[in-house]
Amino acid sequence: MTIKEIAKLAGVSTSTVSRVLNDSGYVKHDVRKRVEKIIDDTGYLPSDTAKDLKKKNTKLIGIIIPKLSSKTIGLVADGITKVLDENGYSSLLAKTGLDFEREMEFIKIFKQKRVDGIIFVATQISEEHVNLLKKMKIPTVFIGQDAGRYNFSCVVHNDYGATKEMTNYLVKKGHKKIGFIGVDEIDVAVGYERKRGYIDALCESEIEIDEELITMGNFEISSVDLSMKNLMEKTPTAILAVTDNLAIGVINYLLKNGYRVPEDVSVVGEGDSGIAEIYNPRLTTIRYQYLESGEEAGRVLMRILDTGKIEKKIMNYKLVERESVIKL
Amino acid sequence: MTIKEIAKLAGVSTSTVSRVLNDSGYVKHDVRKRVEKIIDDTGYLPSDTAKDLKKKNTKLIGIIIPKLSSKTIGLVADGITKVLDENGYSSLLAKTGLDFEREMEFIKIFKQKRVDGIIFVATQISEEHVNLLKKMKIPTVFIGQDAGRYNFSCVVHNDYGATKEMTNYLVKKGHKKIGFIGVDEIDVAVGYERKRGYIDALCESEIEIDEELITMGNFEISSVDLSMKNLMEKTPTAILAVTDNLAIGVINYLLKNGYRVPEDVSVVGEGDSGIAEIYNPRLTTIRYQYLESGEEAGRVLMRILDTGKIEKKIMNYKLVERESVIKL
DNA sequence: GTGAAAGCGCTAACAC
DNA sequence: GTGTTAGCGCTTTCAC
């Protein structure tokens, strides 16, 4: 079914059909009715493919994301698509598994599809990404990592501030030997910024930094066991894990080895990933605004498309007190 | 940048550029090299929009999904996009929030975008969906609900078999008074089929069905509290919840009210949603193949596009024994 | 081996 | 108010 066939069936020209389709220009009432009826009967829907060729924009936004099977990322994605939907944009999805090559490839695919913009949920931003994006001239906003130094828009969480506040909270509860479980600093937000928050908080409280109290996992629960073994030899009274998953791993290790939480060791996480609320004990953690960051990124992109102005947004966080910390 | 400009820069015709772009037809070696160099230098990438207008297919697949912020659905989505990627298809995402109107609307949008096919992650299938899909003539595969009676392809989980097996497992462990927490039967798979599995298992074991042992929640954890209050008056020795989330709600209720799990009451869930493994106690549950169902749906769709044959696939499941059940 | 030209389905001047 | 027509960026006969 094409506009031409509709025109023929209605005994009018294609321009008239186009006019009723887009509600533009004048069409006599009964002609409009007649055309509308035929469109209805045939179930004809105009091809965006053809339309996009004429117009400059596709109303398509590319979303680059590591994976979907994560509550956190899912929330971000829900936020993004919500705003895009509201603004009449469709979402082209690219799942990269954090594979650099695939990320680069998807940017090119998006260019071929002539997306109007890209939202990039990133854990690392490289010079190459940025250069390709600039060469392609695709308006882009990053979520989760600061792209300001590359002169790109971004929506970031206050990883530094949140972790600093959490550390201060632990200090206020009387803890001085606070273990830290972080992740690779290649992930600037979660690895580097959160660690910096922990360290600065201790400095400001004039607690000496003990390098042996600082360990690293990856994002998997099982990855903490080794770290914990070494960590516990230093007898910390509290442990700050940089994600809830890691914190759950810590608690499981502790419980398995005869420690009580929080009576023997206090444990906190970050992320408020849903599990924190129903875990046993309920986990004190940082609630970041994932859904909202997705929405915000959507809005920022809409504005870029409108005005071209780049923006950097820092999202709020909230320390959620529950049952996994004890006052010394 | 267009093919025309590239042609001019290279001093050849657009057809020649097209030939080197698509590696079709003969182009003299040095001409090819020259054109390739210019394409490289300019970073030119051909427009799929224009290409699609000529070709019959867009290599686009629409994915209709209730939301992303669910581990389960995220896994399904990861599976889908994996297979689509491998086959050179891109994913257009439609998040519906289970809103019927939006679902219908997205089908139309997908038609306008001329997607080659649709994968529909559904909790309910209505006559209207099916009729519209047929009218639009878009090859579609449903995930999670049986669309066989509508003559559509689908990939479903064995909800009935799994729940029956789980019930039998409980019976074998010596339980006779088994509470059941289900969901609305509008969701045929989770609501209706799982309940049927529970009932049939009891029947075959010649255990009388006690209607008061059968209650309903929605999918939210908090929704079980009321059900549990009534349920516990009937002093069941085991409770089968139709999802892990519900099971966690059950356990939390039990713990809060002084029961021990599993010593006083055994609890099982379904879904193996990740939390089951790390919860305290670790939850005995059914592992459905979410990721795999997404992959399978992708493959089924690829085959439909190829041969037109509709298929119904039933995925496997596995009973995962952990610590939340005791032998009586 | 390469180029000219038609045409994919639509929109938007422009003419009437 | 409505129709004619050019053209969006590409592919693909068909000539040469």
Side-chain angles (χ1 to χ4, degrees), chain B residues 191-212:
Chain B
Y192 176 74
E193 289 292 331
R194 293 190 187 176
K195 183 172 170 185
R196 198 163 67 82
Y198 162 82
I199 289 178
D200 282 10
L202 291 186
C203 283
E204 290 177 17
S205 293
E206 301 189 341
I207 294 175
E208 205 185 336
I209 309 295
D210 181 349
E211 282 294 342
E212 293 190 59

PDB file of all heavy atoms in Angstrom, chain B residues 191-212:
ATOM      1  N   GLY B 191      -0.353 -16.680  35.991  1.00  0.00           N
ATOM      2  CA  GLY B 191      -1.554 -16.764  36.822  1.00  0.00           C
ATOM      3  C   GLY B 191      -2.279 -18.090  36.672  1.00  0.00           C
ATOM      4  O   GLY B 191      -2.507 -18.811  37.640  1.00  0.00           O
ATOM      5  N   TYR B 192      -2.623 -18.409  35.447  1.00  0.00           N
ATOM      6  CA  TYR B 192      -3.472 -19.571  35.199  1.00  0.00           C
ATOM      7  C   TYR B 192      -2.681 -20.885  35.167  1.00  0.00           C
ATOM      8  O   TYR B 192      -2.977 -21.829  35.902  1.00  0.00           O
ATOM      9  CB  TYR B 192      -4.226 -19.368  33.885  1.00  0.00           C
ATOM     10  CG  TYR B 192      -5.060 -20.551  33.475  1.00  0.00           C
ATOM     11  CD1 TYR B 192      -6.265 -20.844  34.127  1.00  0.00           C
ATOM     12  CD2 TYR B 192      -4.648 -21.388  32.444  1.00  0.00           C
ATOM     13  CE1 TYR B 192      -7.025 -21.941  33.761  1.00  0.00           C
ATOM     14  CE2 TYR B 192      -5.408 -22.481  32.066  1.00  0.00           C
ATOM     15  CZ  TYR B 192      -6.590 -22.754  32.727  1.00  0.00           C
ATOM     16  OH  TYR B 192      -7.338 -23.840  32.361  1.00  0.00           O
ATOM     17  N   GLU B 193      -1.661 -20.932  34.334  1.00  0.00           N
ATOM     18  CA  GLU B 193      -0.935 -22.191  34.132  1.00  0.00           C
ATOM     19  C   GLU B 193      -0.248 -22.694  35.407  1.00  0.00           C
ATOM     20  O   GLU B 193      -0.245 -23.885  35.701  1.00  0.00           O
ATOM     21  CB  GLU B 193       0.110 -22.024  33.020  1.00  0.00           C
ATOM     22  CG  GLU B 193      -0.480 -21.898  31.617  1.00  0.00           C
ATOM     23  CD  GLU B 193      -1.141 -23.199  31.156  1.00  0.00           C
ATOM     24  OE1 GLU B 193      -0.709 -24.274  31.598  1.00  0.00           O
ATOM     25  OE2 GLU B 193      -2.097 -23.115  30.366  1.00  0.00           O
ATOM     26  N   ARG B 194       0.334 -21.777  36.148  1.00  0.00           N
ATOM     27  CA  ARG B 194       1.057 -22.213  37.347  1.00  0.00           C
ATOM     28  C   ARG B 194       0.075 -22.732  38.394  1.00  0.00           C
ATOM     29  O   ARG B 194       0.318 -23.727  39.070  1.00  0.00           O
ATOM     30  CB  ARG B 194       1.920 -21.072  37.898  1.00  0.00           C
ATOM     31  CG  ARG B 194       3.047 -20.720  36.939  1.00  0.00           C
ATOM     32  CD  ARG B 194       4.104 -19.765  37.496  1.00  0.00           C
ATOM     33  NE  ARG B 194       5.021 -19.383  36.413  1.00  0.00           N
ATOM     34  CZ  ARG B 194       6.018 -18.492  36.534  1.00  0.00           C
ATOM     35  NH1 ARG B 194       6.220 -17.876  37.688  1.00  0.00           N
ATOM     36  NH2 ARG B 194       6.794 -18.222  35.504  1.00  0.00           N
ATOM     37  N   LYS B 195      -1.064 -22.067  38.504  1.00  0.00           N
ATOM     38  CA  LYS B 195      -2.076 -22.530  39.449  1.00  0.00           C
ATOM     39  C   LYS B 195      -2.564 -23.918  39.045  1.00  0.00           C
ATOM     40  O   LYS B 195      -2.744 -24.802  39.884  1.00  0.00           O
ATOM     41  CB  LYS B 195      -3.243 -21.542  39.462  1.00  0.00           C
ATOM     42  CG  LYS B 195      -4.328 -21.887  40.463  1.00  0.00           C
ATOM     43  CD  LYS B 195      -5.351 -20.768  40.556  1.00  0.00           C
ATOM     44  CE  LYS B 195      -6.569 -21.170  41.360  1.00  0.00           C
ATOM     45  NZ  LYS B 195      -7.604 -20.112  41.326  1.00  0.00           N
ATOM     46  N   ARG B 196      -2.753 -24.113  37.771  1.00  0.00           N
ATOM     47  CA  ARG B 196      -3.213 -25.395  37.266  1.00  0.00           C
ATOM     48  C   ARG B 196      -2.196 -26.495  37.605  1.00  0.00           C
ATOM     49  O   ARG B 196      -2.569 -27.613  37.973  1.00  0.00           O
ATOM     50  CB  ARG B 196      -3.385 -25.287  35.739  1.00  0.00           C
ATOM     51  CG  ARG B 196      -4.249 -26.349  35.099  1.00  0.00           C
ATOM     52  CD  ARG B 196      -4.678 -25.930  33.705  1.00  0.00           C
ATOM     53  NE  ARG B 196      -3.582 -25.851  32.758  1.00  0.00           N
ATOM     54  CZ  ARG B 196      -3.072 -26.910  32.099  1.00  0.00           C
ATOM     55  NH1 ARG B 196      -3.580 -28.102  32.276  1.00  0.00           N
ATOM     56  NH2 ARG B 196      -2.073 -26.742  31.258  1.00  0.00           N
ATOM     57  N   GLY B 197      -0.909 -26.155  37.513  1.00  0.00           N
ATOM     58  CA  GLY B 197       0.123 -27.128  37.854  1.00  0.00           C
ATOM     59  C   GLY B 197       0.032 -27.536  39.317  1.00  0.00           C
ATOM     60  O   GLY B 197       0.117 -28.719  39.657  1.00  0.00           O
ATOM     61  N   TYR B 198      -0.155 -26.549  40.154  1.00  0.00           N
ATOM     62  CA  TYR B 198      -0.282 -26.799  41.599  1.00  0.00           C
ATOM     63  C   TYR B 198      -1.470 -27.706  41.881  1.00  0.00           C
ATOM     64  O   TYR B 198      -1.361 -28.720  42.579  1.00  0.00           O
ATOM     65  CB  TYR B 198      -0.433 -25.446  42.295  1.00  0.00           C
ATOM     66  CG  TYR B 198      -0.997 -25.469  43.701  1.00  0.00           C
ATOM     67  CD1 TYR B 198      -0.178 -25.749  44.808  1.00  0.00           C
ATOM     68  CD2 TYR B 198      -2.337 -25.172  43.929  1.00  0.00           C
ATOM     69  CE1 TYR B 198      -0.691 -25.732  46.094  1.00  0.00           C
ATOM     70  CE2 TYR B 198      -2.857 -25.148  45.216  1.00  0.00           C
ATOM     71  CZ  TYR B 198      -2.032 -25.433  46.299  1.00  0.00           C
ATOM     72  OH  TYR B 198      -2.550 -25.423  47.563  1.00  0.00           O
ATOM     73  N   ILE B 199      -2.605 -27.382  41.295  1.00  0.00           N
ATOM     74  CA  ILE B 199      -3.829 -28.140  41.557  1.00  0.00           C
ATOM     75  C   ILE B 199      -3.728 -29.570  41.024  1.00  0.00           C
ATOM     76  O   ILE B 199      -4.040 -30.535  41.726  1.00  0.00           O
ATOM     77  CB  ILE B 199      -5.044 -27.408  40.946  1.00  0.00           C
ATOM     78  CG1 ILE B 199      -5.330 -26.146  41.772  1.00  0.00           C
ATOM     79  CG2 ILE B 199      -6.269 -28.316  40.904  1.00  0.00           C
ATOM     80  CD1 ILE B 199      -6.465 -25.305  41.269  1.00  0.00           C
ATOM     81  N   ASP B 200      -3.229 -29.692  39.801  1.00  0.00           N
ATOM     82  CA  ASP B 200      -3.123 -31.036  39.224  1.00  0.00           C
ATOM     83  C   ASP B 200      -2.177 -31.927  40.025  1.00  0.00           C
ATOM     84  O   ASP B 200      -2.432 -33.115  40.210  1.00  0.00           O
ATOM     85  CB  ASP B 200      -2.663 -30.957  37.770  1.00  0.00           C
ATOM     86  CG  ASP B 200      -3.806 -30.551  36.851  1.00  0.00           C
ATOM     87  OD1 ASP B 200      -4.870 -30.167  37.380  1.00  0.00           O
ATOM     88  OD2 ASP B 200      -3.639 -30.619  35.613  1.00  0.00           O
ATOM     89  N   ALA B 201      -1.090 -31.329  40.495  1.00  0.00           N
ATOM     90  CA  ALA B 201      -0.140 -32.122  41.285  1.00  0.00           C
ATOM     91  C   ALA B 201      -0.812 -32.648  42.540  1.00  0.00           C
ATOM     92  O   ALA B 201      -0.683 -33.823  42.887  1.00  0.00           O
ATOM     93  CB  ALA B 201       1.080 -31.271  41.636  1.00  0.00           C
ATOM     94  N   LEU B 202      -1.539 -31.787  43.207  1.00  0.00           N
ATOM     95  CA  LEU B 202      -2.219 -32.215  44.435  1.00  0.00           C
ATOM     96  C   LEU B 202      -3.246 -33.303  44.125  1.00  0.00           C
ATOM     97  O   LEU B 202      -3.336 -34.311  44.829  1.00  0.00           O
ATOM     98  CB  LEU B 202      -2.905 -31.021  45.113  1.00  0.00           C
ATOM     99  CG  LEU B 202      -1.967 -29.970  45.713  1.00  0.00           C
ATOM    100  CD1 LEU B 202      -2.754 -28.919  46.482  1.00  0.00           C
ATOM    101  CD2 LEU B 202      -0.926 -30.607  46.625  1.00  0.00           C
ATOM    102  N   CYS B 203      -4.001 -33.084  43.057  1.00  0.00           N
ATOM    103  CA  CYS B 203      -5.004 -34.072  42.666  1.00  0.00           C
ATOM    104  C   CYS B 203      -4.364 -35.439  42.453  1.00  0.00           C
ATOM    105  O   CYS B 203      -4.821 -36.444  42.997  1.00  0.00           O
ATOM    106  CB  CYS B 203      -5.701 -33.657  41.372  1.00  0.00           C
ATOM    107  SG  CYS B 203      -6.917 -32.372  41.631  1.00  0.00           S
ATOM    108  N   GLU B 204      -3.278 -35.435  41.697  1.00  0.00           N
ATOM    109  CA  GLU B 204      -2.645 -36.716  41.399  1.00  0.00           C
ATOM    110  C   GLU B 204      -2.073 -37.379  42.646  1.00  0.00           C
ATOM    111  O   GLU B 204      -1.902 -38.589  42.684  1.00  0.00           O
ATOM    112  CB  GLU B 204      -1.560 -36.519  40.333  1.00  0.00           C
ATOM    113  CG  GLU B 204      -2.166 -36.190  38.971  1.00  0.00           C
ATOM    114  CD  GLU B 204      -1.128 -35.909  37.903  1.00  0.00           C
ATOM    115  OE1 GLU B 204       0.050 -36.279  38.108  1.00  0.00           O
ATOM    116  OE2 GLU B 204      -1.500 -35.320  36.865  1.00  0.00           O
ATOM    117  N   SER B 205      -1.752 -36.571  43.643  1.00  0.00           N
ATOM    118  CA  SER B 205      -1.271 -37.152  44.900  1.00  0.00           C
ATOM    119  C   SER B 205      -2.439 -37.417  45.838  1.00  0.00           C
ATOM    120  O   SER B 205      -2.247 -37.786  46.997  1.00  0.00           O
ATOM    121  CB  SER B 205      -0.290 -36.198  45.579  1.00  0.00           C
ATOM    122  OG  SER B 205       0.873 -36.074  44.819  1.00  0.00           O
ATOM    123  N   GLU B 206      -3.633 -37.193  45.337  1.00  0.00           N
ATOM    124  CA  GLU B 206      -4.851 -37.404  46.121  1.00  0.00           C
ATOM    125  C   GLU B 206      -4.851 -36.620  47.422  1.00  0.00           C
ATOM    126  O   GLU B 206      -5.229 -37.122  48.476  1.00  0.00           O
ATOM    127  CB  GLU B 206      -5.049 -38.896  46.370  1.00  0.00           C
ATOM    128  CG  GLU B 206      -5.142 -39.640  45.032  1.00  0.00           C
ATOM    129  CD  GLU B 206      -5.545 -41.094  45.191  1.00  0.00           C
ATOM    130  OE1 GLU B 206      -5.401 -41.625  46.300  1.00  0.00           O
ATOM    131  OE2 GLU B 206      -6.027 -41.668  44.197  1.00  0.00           O
ATOM    132  N   ILE B 207      -4.366 -35.384  47.298  1.00  0.00           N
ATOM    133  CA  ILE B 207      -4.471 -34.458  48.429  1.00  0.00           C
ATOM    134  C   ILE B 207      -5.623 -33.527  48.114  1.00  0.00           C
ATOM    135  O   ILE B 207      -5.720 -32.997  46.998  1.00  0.00           O
ATOM    136  CB  ILE B 207      -3.176 -33.637  48.603  1.00  0.00           C
ATOM    137  CG1 ILE B 207      -2.029 -34.577  48.993  1.00  0.00           C
ATOM    138  CG2 ILE B 207      -3.363 -32.548  49.632  1.00  0.00           C
ATOM    139  CD1 ILE B 207      -0.678 -33.902  49.064  1.00  0.00           C
ATOM    140  N   GLU B 208      -6.486 -33.354  49.060  1.00  0.00           N
ATOM    141  CA  GLU B 208      -7.665 -32.556  48.793  1.00  0.00           C
ATOM    142  C   GLU B 208      -7.288 -31.082  48.599  1.00  0.00           C
ATOM    143  O   GLU B 208      -6.434 -30.553  49.315  1.00  0.00           O
ATOM    144  CB  GLU B 208      -8.652 -32.686  49.962  1.00  0.00           C
ATOM    145  CG  GLU B 208     -10.101 -32.426  49.550  1.00  0.00           C
ATOM    146  CD  GLU B 208     -11.005 -32.443  50.775  1.00  0.00           C
ATOM    147  OE1 GLU B 208     -10.619 -33.069  51.774  1.00  0.00           O
ATOM    148  OE2 GLU B 208     -12.075 -31.812  50.734  1.00  0.00           O
ATOM    149  N   ILE B 209      -7.917 -30.441  47.638  1.00  0.00           N
ATOM    150  CA  ILE B 209      -7.670 -29.020  47.393  1.00  0.00           C
ATOM    151  C   ILE B 209      -8.445 -28.200  48.415  1.00  0.00           C
ATOM    152  O   ILE B 209      -9.652 -28.328  48.531  1.00  0.00           O
ATOM    153  CB  ILE B 209      -8.159 -28.604  45.990  1.00  0.00           C
ATOM    154  CG1 ILE B 209      -7.611 -29.530  44.906  1.00  0.00           C
ATOM    155  CG2 ILE B 209      -7.805 -27.152  45.705  1.00  0.00           C
ATOM    156  CD1 ILE B 209      -6.133 -29.486  44.749  1.00  0.00           C
ATOM    157  N   ASP B 210      -7.738 -27.383  49.143  1.00  0.00           N
ATOM    158  CA  ASP B 210      -8.398 -26.500  50.105  1.00  0.00           C
ATOM    159  C   ASP B 210      -8.365 -25.076  49.550  1.00  0.00           C
ATOM    160  O   ASP B 210      -7.313 -24.451  49.492  1.00  0.00           O
ATOM    161  CB  ASP B 210      -7.669 -26.574  51.447  1.00  0.00           C
ATOM    162  CG  ASP B 210      -8.347 -25.694  52.487  1.00  0.00           C
ATOM    163  OD1 ASP B 210      -9.226 -24.883  52.109  1.00  0.00           O
ATOM    164  OD2 ASP B 210      -7.987 -25.810  53.664  1.00  0.00           O
ATOM    165  N   GLU B 211      -9.512 -24.575  49.141  1.00  0.00           N
ATOM    166  CA  GLU B 211      -9.582 -23.257  48.502  1.00  0.00           C
ATOM    167  C   GLU B 211      -8.988 -22.164  49.392  1.00  0.00           C
ATOM    168  O   GLU B 211      -8.480 -21.161  48.907  1.00  0.00           O
ATOM    169  CB  GLU B 211     -11.040 -22.902  48.158  1.00  0.00           C
ATOM    170  CG  GLU B 211     -11.583 -23.598  46.909  1.00  0.00           C
ATOM    171  CD  GLU B 211     -10.874 -23.153  45.628  1.00  0.00           C
ATOM    172  OE1 GLU B 211     -10.219 -22.098  45.636  1.00  0.00           O
ATOM    173  OE2 GLU B 211     -10.969 -23.895  44.628  1.00  0.00           O
ATOM    174  N   GLU B 212      -9.078 -22.361  50.677  1.00  0.00           N
ATOM    175  CA  GLU B 212      -8.579 -21.328  51.589  1.00  0.00           C
ATOM    176  C   GLU B 212      -7.064 -21.305  51.660  1.00  0.00           C
ATOM    177  O   GLU B 212      -6.471 -20.397  52.242  1.00  0.00           O
ATOM    178  CB  GLU B 212      -9.174 -21.542  52.983  1.00  0.00           C
ATOM    179  CG  GLU B 212     -10.681 -21.307  53.004  1.00  0.00           C
ATOM    180  CD  GLU B 212     -11.212 -21.283  54.426  1.00  0.00           C
ATOM    181  OE1 GLU B 212     -10.734 -20.431  55.208  1.00  0.00           O
ATOM    182  OE2 GLU B 212     -12.086 -22.106  54.751  1.00  0.00           O
TER     183      GLU B 212
END
